Amino acid sequence: MRDTRESRLLLVLLIAIAFALITVDIRGGEDSPLDSVRQAAASAFGPVENGVASAVNPIGNAIGAVRDSGERHDRISRLERENAALKVKLGSDVRTRGRAAELDKMLKTAGAGRYGIKGAEVIAIGAAQGFSWTVTIDAGSEDGITRDMTVLNGDGLVGRVTTVGPSTATVLLANDPDFTVGTRMEKTAELGFATGQGDRPLRVQLLNGKARVAKGDRLVTFGSRADKPFVPGVPVGEVVRVDPANGALTRTLQVRPYVGFTKLDIVGVVVQPPRKDPRDTVLPPPVKPKPTPTVTVTVTPSADGSGAPMDEASEPAAGATPAGGGESPAGDGASPAGDGASPAGAAETPAPRPTRS
């Protein structure tokens, strides 16, 4: 449509009519003459609007989703990073608390034995030098570590140093079949030698074949000359089985080690031996056995003091006169002869004499 004078006049006229209709509709309120026209228009164009909206809304939602997908993806990524960081923090806090408790326990053990130790962390497990049960620690010659030093933790004997590098060292564990250490019993001071058996208990041979040993007895290291490779007094383990002697010169024991060799983390290398043998002072306090509860059953006597059941206690006693009869067994209730005794078998009661008033 070209922009002419007539088109402009038509536009002005339509605008004027629109304003007039709006004015009439507003002034009319609820009684507006245009209300019927509005309802008719709504009835006519309402379904068309709904159809157009149903067709257009998915397209609009898709466009909005595409527009917001980048922001939503960034928010999800940020939340995932925050969750991962939180999990790492929580895990590290639990691990830190566990390691702190393990370190504290090891320091108490070293203090009880007066051992000077160098703390280290297990960084590898394996047999770099051909040993079947070894670990690698993050301490070496630069930290004062030398070969044949005792290694312990908060539970007891871990092993001995076999190979030393500048910053690492290899430790042969006490459960290795090639490992042997001198031991001493806690109370009897019987001497022996403990040998590793892998994942089984340690095998200890006592020098005294007639030694008295019981399940639960404990052992510590006897110590070596010049305190290498072993210092004295380090807890080794607890007897779980005593093999029959069978007349042998030695006594064989099965000993459960205190140390869990499959879960080593913080260990200490003894760089300064004690001046005096600590004997049994490093051992933990013995666990007292819990008493077994017992049940005591007490029989309460019956009301008549006889303790007999009620059906027996309710029976008439010997010598009593049965109901409905006045006879007693022969000889029961009879008076001596000459005292007005009744014939045997009859216990008659004399009738009362009348009194005069």
Side-chain angles (χ1 to χ4, degrees), residues 255-267:
V255 176
R256 181 179 65 246
Y258 288 124
V259 174
F261 298 105
T262 59
K263 51 182 180 180
L264 294 172
D265 187 9
I266 303 297
V267 298

Side-chain angles (χ1 to χ4, degrees), residues 190 206-212 243-252:
E190 294 287 351
L206 296 181
L207 301 181
N208 183 7
K210 298 180 180 180
R212 294 183 178 181
D243 295 340
N246 296 328
L249 298 178
T250 60
R251 195 75 184 271
T252 303

Side-chain angles (χ1 to χ4, degrees), residues 129 131 135-151 160-172 228 269 271:
Q129 286 77 26
F131 301 118
V135 295
T136 303
I137 58 176
D138 62 349
S141 58
E142 296 176 353
D143 304 292
I145 308 299
T146 60
R147 195 171 183 268
D148 287 337
M149 282 186 169
T150 306
V151 183
R160 63 181 176 88
V161 177
T162 56
T163 305
V164 181
S167 58
T168 60
T170 302
V171 178
L172 178 65
K228 282 190 176 183
V269 182
V271 295

Side-chain angles (χ1 to χ4, degrees), residues 289-307:
K290 296 181 179 180
T292 304
T294 58
V295 179
T296 304
V297 179
T298 304
V299 179
T300 305
S302 59
D304 58 358
S306 62

